[in-house]
Amino acid sequence: MRALPASVLAVCGLIVSACGGAGSGGTAAGQAANPAATQAGSQARTPAVVTDESGTPAPAERAPAPKPLEGKTVVIDPGHNGGNARNPKAINRKVNVLTQWKACDTTGTATNDGYSEAAFTWDVSKRLVKILKNRGATVKLTRSSNTGVGPCITERAAIGNRSKADAAISVHADGSAPANHGFHVIMPKKINGPVDPVVKQSSDLGVAVRDAFRKGTGLPYSTYIGNKALDYRNDLGGLNLSTVPKIFVECGNMRNAAEAAKFRDAQFRQRIALALANGLQHYLTT
Ligand SMILES: [Zn+2]
């Protein structure tokens, strides 16, 4: 190690604690220089695997620890699809979601200036895939682009079931009155159907994602739906037909100007993806 300049030594003399790590290899200084990495590491509850905001592991100083989500399968369902609006016949077809018949899929909402929910959920989901894969998970998406149609909500549930997912999450954003704002999580209710055995686990998953989303994005709990951002429903095919723990996240209100501006910001979408990953990981590892 080269000698420290006199000016640095002088500062260290004044601020002993802040310079404590400098003489022992720079580990502490390196971590302190990247607060995002430190935060991600602590939220992940695996200090040995430090990741940056994209989920990329930092250079290891020792032999790498096993990745925290090794052996876990996560299915991510980006709500709606970019081609739905052009294919009303296909998406309006009625499917059985056990408690009622519903349209195969819907167009979703959009911001007032035309940023679609389908594009938003696709972008957030792709970011989430990357983070989870970097943490060792096997990840599947329910659609492969944002230019296609569907799949139907029944198939979206079936993909999670066939994958025997340890957790599944459907990513959405709401289209409510402009003054309404905040995010919420939707979890299944018992319907005397296939979802019943995973209602409790889905609730645990929902609370974990709610907590991580609040912490990671700073967005408030919904001002207009649910209790502390938790809502339970029995009318969603994606939940009723799931045999694996599954939730929906409504990331906020696209018709609210402040939240729309955030959703248009790629850095904020990365924060959302990281928060969702942290919530999933908390559920999957505790
Ligand atoms: Zn939606």
Side-chain angles (χ1 to χ4, degrees):
M1 189 181 218
R2 67 182 167 80
L4 290 166
S7 59
V8 172
L9 291 172
V11 171
C12 287
L14 293 169
I15 314 170
V16 175
S17 62
C19 293
S24 60
T27 305
Q31 287 179 351
N34 190 347
T38 306
Q39 188 187 13
S42 66
Q43 286 180 0
R45 293 171 180 229
T46 50
V49 181
V50 176
T51 60
D52 66 15
E53 285 199 341
S54 73
T56 306
E61 292 185 299
R62 295 183 295 273
K67 292 183 175 182
L69 296 179
E70 209 81 62
K72 303 291 185 187
T73 298
V74 179
V75 166
I76 302 168
D77 174 37
H80 316 282
N81 202 331
N84 282 4
R86 296 191 302 275
N87 295 272
K89 219 177 219 174
I91 64 163
N92 288 336
R93 179 169 71 83
K94 291 287 189 287
V95 295
N96 184 356
V97 304
L98 305 180
T99 53
Q100 57 187 283
W101 289 77
K102 288 189 96 166
C104 151
D105 204 12
T106 52
T107 59
T109 188
T111 63
N112 287 339
D113 58 356
Y115 181 47
S116 74
E117 183 189 353
F120 167 78
T121 66
W122 178 241
D123 182 87
V124 167
S125 295
K126 279 193 302 178
R127 294 170 186 273
L128 181 53
V129 169
K130 194 171 173 188
I131 297 167
L132 293 173
K133 281 187 173 172
N134 279 330
R135 294 181 185 181
T138 299
V139 189
K140 288 179 188 172
L141 283 162
T142 59
R143 56 180 167 106
S144 57
S145 76
N146 193 40
T147 55
V149 180
C152 289
I153 51 180
T154 45
E155 176 61 14
R156 290 174 190 260
I159 291 168
N161 297 349
R162 284 199 298 269
S163 307
K164 296 187 165 49
D166 295 290
I169 183 166
S170 193
V171 181
H172 289 258
D174 211 357
S176 184
N180 290 338
H181 64 107
F183 76 97
H184 68 280
V185 173
I186 307 170
M187 293 149 290
K189 280 178 170 176
K190 287 192 177 180
I191 56 166
N192 203 14
V195 74
D196 289 11
V198 293
V199 160
K200 170 68 171 75
Q201 288 164 283
S202 300
S203 179
D204 293 344
L205 171 61
V207 170
V209 167
R210 189 272 312 264
D211 291 347
F213 197 97
R214 176 80 187 89
K215 185 177 176 187
T217 67
L219 287 180
Y221 294 159
S222 171
T223 58
Y224 61 100
I225 289 182
N227 177 16
K228 293 180 179 162
L230 302 177
D231 191 29
Y232 298 84
R233 287 172 61 171
N234 61 7
D235 64 318
L236 296 173
L239 296 181
N240 285 356
L241 297 164
S242 184
T243 58
V244 300
K246 184 170 179 184
I247 61 165
F248 277 44
V249 58
E250 296 279 0
C251 295
N253 179 14
M254 296 194 93
R255 296 291 183 185
N256 175 273
E259 287 180 1
K262 286 187 162 119
F263 296 159
R264 274 196 171 277
D265 175 6
Q267 280 190 332
F268 195 80
R269 293 195 299 274
Q270 184 66 21
R271 276 177 71 180
I272 290 175
L274 186 60
L276 294 176
N278 289 341
L280 284 159
Q281 179 166 333
H282 183 83
Y283 167 77
L284 291 166
T285 58
T286 54

